[in-house]
Amino acid sequence: MYQNPERTEYEALVSRLRGHYGNIDIGGYSHNDLLRLRKLDAQRAADVARAQAAQPLNEAIGHLNAAHRRAIAAWQKIEEGRKSIAGNTREHQILGFDMALIEPIEMPKKVEASAATIEANDEATADMSRVADSLEARARKINSAVSQWANYTPDQQNRALILAIADRLGM
């Protein structure tokens, strides 16, 4: 059984274009429609190539955004810990908690890449990751002190305070 090669090309074009653009108006099977479909297919191929070329840059930008989200999450944990420590500031001072950790800090700003290149975004991601790591470490220290104090019974809290004062006095 003979099948017209233009008909085969037409069906292949329609299949590719619908796969890329979704349900589009194709028209009927004619020479002009075939020319229009070839033009659309060339545009589809260019779109696909452009998207594939941009993928590594988009991934680098995504990594930078993820590092910024980590920094923001750590900053929020620090703020929550600061509020919790505020109710027991004197007790935490006696226990020797580093009060510099709860000094107010501003929300971390996103490190901007110097250029729209993968390398520039990778450098910005490294900088943002250092900021996030620092904030996460600070948040862990603060929230560790908060949770430790909250888990103590009143007797354990008193004992910890007495032992901290005795240690300072050298007893």
Side-chain angles (χ1 to χ4, degrees):
M1 180 162 136
Y2 171 76
Q3 185 161 2
N4 184 349
E6 285 186 346
R7 181 72 172 186
T8 304
E9 179 187 10
Y10 173 84
E11 290 171 0
L13 286 169
V14 168
S15 175
R16 274 196 306 268
L17 291 171
R18 283 201 171 137
H20 184 73
Y21 293 114
N23 195 13
I24 61 170
D25 183 29
I26 300 298
Y29 172 69
S30 70
H31 180 70
N32 288 337
D33 289 334
L34 192 56
L35 290 175
R36 189 173 66 83
L37 291 175
R38 285 177 185 152
K39 184 177 176 183
L40 273 174
D41 192 46
Q43 182 181 347
R44 179 205 56 84
D47 290 346
V48 168
R50 205 171 17 259
Q52 287 176 344
Q55 185 175 1
L57 179 60
N58 290 341
E59 288 177 4
I61 292 169
H63 293 302
L64 176 57
N65 289 335
H68 183 247
R69 283 191 303 273
R70 276 184 45 221
I72 294 295
W75 177 80
Q76 289 171 336
K77 287 179 184 175
I78 290 170
E79 290 301 308
E80 290 170 11
R82 285 181 66 238
K83 290 175 185 171
S84 297
I85 285 184
N88 303 308
T89 304
R90 185 75 179 135
E91 290 85 352
H92 283 87
Q93 284 176 326
I94 292 170
L95 291 172
F97 181 75
D98 183 6
M99 298 311 277
L101 289 174
I102 61 168
E103 289 178 3
I105 57 172
E106 62 182 67
M107 185 172 23
K109 304 259 187 284
K110 184 176 175 183
V111 176
E112 295 297 328
S114 59
T117 64
I118 296 169
E119 294 78 18
N121 275 284
D122 286 347
E123 288 175 21
T125 300
D127 291 343
M128 194 77 242
S129 290
R130 281 190 285 278
V131 169
D133 291 343
S134 170
L135 291 173
E136 287 169 342
R138 188 174 183 172
R140 277 192 301 276
K141 288 176 187 174
I142 292 171
N143 289 312
S144 173
V146 167
S147 84
Q148 184 178 18
W149 182 256
N151 288 331
Y152 281 168
T153 65
D155 288 340
Q156 289 172 322
Q157 289 175 347
N158 289 336
R159 179 179 157 87
L161 291 170
I162 291 168
L163 290 175
I165 292 170
D167 188 43
R168 284 214 183 106
L169 295 174
M171 299 179 150

